[in-house]
Amino acid sequence: MPDRSPHPGAVHPLFPPPPRPAPVRVMVADDNPVVRAGLTALLRDRDDIDVVAEAADGREACEAAARHRPDVVLLDVRMPGVDGLAALPHLARTAHVLMLTYSHEAAVVRAALRGGAGGYLVHGEFTVQELVSAVRDVTLGRAHFTPTAATAVLEQLQKSATAHDEADSIPLISLTSEEPLSQLQSTVRASGAEGETGYALSGREAEIMDLIASGMNNRQIAATCFISEKTVKNHINRIFAKLHSSSRSEAAAKWLGTAGTSGRGVG
């Protein structure tokens, strides 16, 4: 009698293989065409990654993201015109953003995290496989940091652990004239919020209100400010009470409206 047992590699008709997940859609934003071409070539060799767009500056990145709806944006920091930090909050609303840059300054790393980045890779500190893993993992909310960026995060966590949360009225980043105007304006609003707005928000509350107005959720705010989600919720409850608001949209409308009428431009 012939052997009717299925071939080891055969698929039983009643149990078809699960469908393959859709490829991760990636956009590469870097002003250096050689870097863009290299990253695109590396990632297109992967079956589960599809490079759908490229951009040479922050403005192009925002426009391309609106057209192509990538899952992940690989974003450089220093680009002409609109730089990566200025474009980051807009991109982070619709995609996972992974900073991929030569900029390794601790202040820049912290600014990127505050803006919504899901990871930070410094050129020269990662392998091709580590880059591929980071692209795949960031879609699942798993952050990736190369050593220089991780050190910056650790230093901030250590500083935050020794400071009382309510007494922290100093922004997480020390701004210089070389950093984006939008970041400077945001910091001015946070540091000058108490007394100027009429709502008497503390420095931390004003910082969190800026992040709410930018579209961040509680988890993103917690990661950006290096605090727990429970602490974020406590801050938001106090903010709502001070702004006499019952929702995030109402609080944001009042906050941005107050900023406009008091002569402090919105970044």
Side-chain angles (χ1 to χ4, degrees), residues 221-242:
I221 293 172
T224 299
C225 296
F226 303 101
I227 56 179
S228 68
E229 286 192 54
K230 181 179 180 181
T231 301
V232 172
K233 291 178 182 177
N234 290 338
H235 279 304
I236 290 176
N237 287 337
R238 288 192 288 271
I239 290 169
F240 282 6
K242 291 180 179 181

Side-chain angles (χ1 to χ4, degrees), residues 134-205:
V135 169
R136 292 167 177 161
D137 286 353
V138 75
T139 62
L140 304 175
R142 299 171 183 165
H144 276 253
F145 299 92
T146 50
T148 299
T151 299
V153 175
L154 178 60
E155 288 175 353
Q156 183 59 44
L157 287 172
Q158 291 171 335
K159 289 178 183 177
S160 298
T162 59
H164 191 281
D165 190 45
E166 284 297 328
D168 181 15
S169 60
I170 301 175
L172 292 177
I173 57 173
S174 176
L175 291 164
T176 70
S177 59
E178 296 178 353
E179 292 181 336
L181 178 60
S182 59
Q183 293 289 326
L184 178 59
Q185 291 171 329
S186 177
T187 303
V188 169
R189 289 202 303 277
S191 62
E194 189 164 0
E196 223 179 289
T197 65
Y199 292 118
L201 267 61
S202 70
R204 175 65 94 183
E205 289 167 353

Side-chain angles (χ1 to χ4, degrees), residues 23-135:
V24 178
R25 296 168 57 81
V26 176
M27 178 173 73
V28 179
D30 194 297
D31 64 316
N32 188 326
V34 176
V35 172
R36 289 200 311 272
L39 291 172
T40 298
L42 286 174
L43 295 175
R44 278 185 173 157
D45 285 341
R46 300 321 200 246
D47 292 336
D48 59 343
I49 296 176
D50 185 14
V51 180
V52 297
E54 298 181 16
D57 59 38
R59 186 178 301 280
E60 283 187 15
C62 292
E63 293 172 351
R67 289 196 305 270
H68 298 281
R69 311 297 292 183
D71 302 307
V72 177
V73 177
L74 300 182
L75 183 63
D76 189 17
V77 169
R78 305 195 189 284
M79 295 184 287
V82 178
D83 67 14
L85 291 182
L88 174 57
H90 304 281
L91 295 169
R93 294 173 187 170
T94 58
H96 301 278
V97 181
L98 186 62
M99 307 306 293
L100 189 59
T101 177
Y102 288 100
S103 302
H104 55 76
E105 298 89 344
V108 175
V109 176
R110 294 196 293 269
L113 295 179
R114 290 183 62 188
Y120 199 106
L121 307 183
V122 178
H123 285 295
E125 296 186 356
F126 59 87
T127 65
V128 172
Q129 188 53 50
E130 287 169 342
L131 170 62
V132 172
S133 296
V135 169

